[in-house]
Amino acid sequence: MTKQQLYQLATDPTAPMDDRYAAARELQRRRLKGEQITALVRLWPRLTAAEIAEQLNVPVQTVIGAAKSYGLLGRG
């Protein structure tokens, strides 16, 4: 499920509450926290996005999105 789909589900007042909470938890899980961002920058030159995602316990797309926003793509 994309972040947009998760957001729509999390904010849909007609969706079952358990589904809304699950979507909100998944959205939060996909966000990198401060120490994860530091690890991402440190690991980027040496590991693949998939390897970093595994170490940080987040989806690969989260790593790629963060790498784009921090200007890491094309480096390393």
Side-chain angles (χ1 to χ4, degrees):
M1 210 177 241
T2 67
K3 283 173 50 175
Q4 182 177 9
Q5 290 169 323
L6 286 168
Y7 180 78
Q8 287 173 341
L9 177 58
T11 58
D12 181 357
T14 63
M17 191 60 72
D18 287 344
D19 293 346
R20 293 175 67 193
Y21 279 129
R25 281 192 303 272
E26 178 63 17
L27 282 169
Q28 188 146 21
R29 187 181 76 78
R30 290 184 182 192
R31 287 185 34 211
L32 293 181
K33 294 160 186 61
E35 66 276 0
Q36 290 174 310
I37 294 167
T38 301
L40 166 66
V41 172
R42 189 178 47 121
L43 296 171
W44 187 259
R46 299 188 325 263
L47 301 177
T48 67
E51 291 168 331
I52 294 169
E54 186 176 319
Q55 284 199 13
L56 300 180
N57 196 31
V58 296
V60 175
Q61 289 300 65
T62 299
V63 170
I64 292 169
K68 283 180 186 176
S69 66
Y70 288 100
L72 298 175
L73 286 181
R75 274 188 22 189

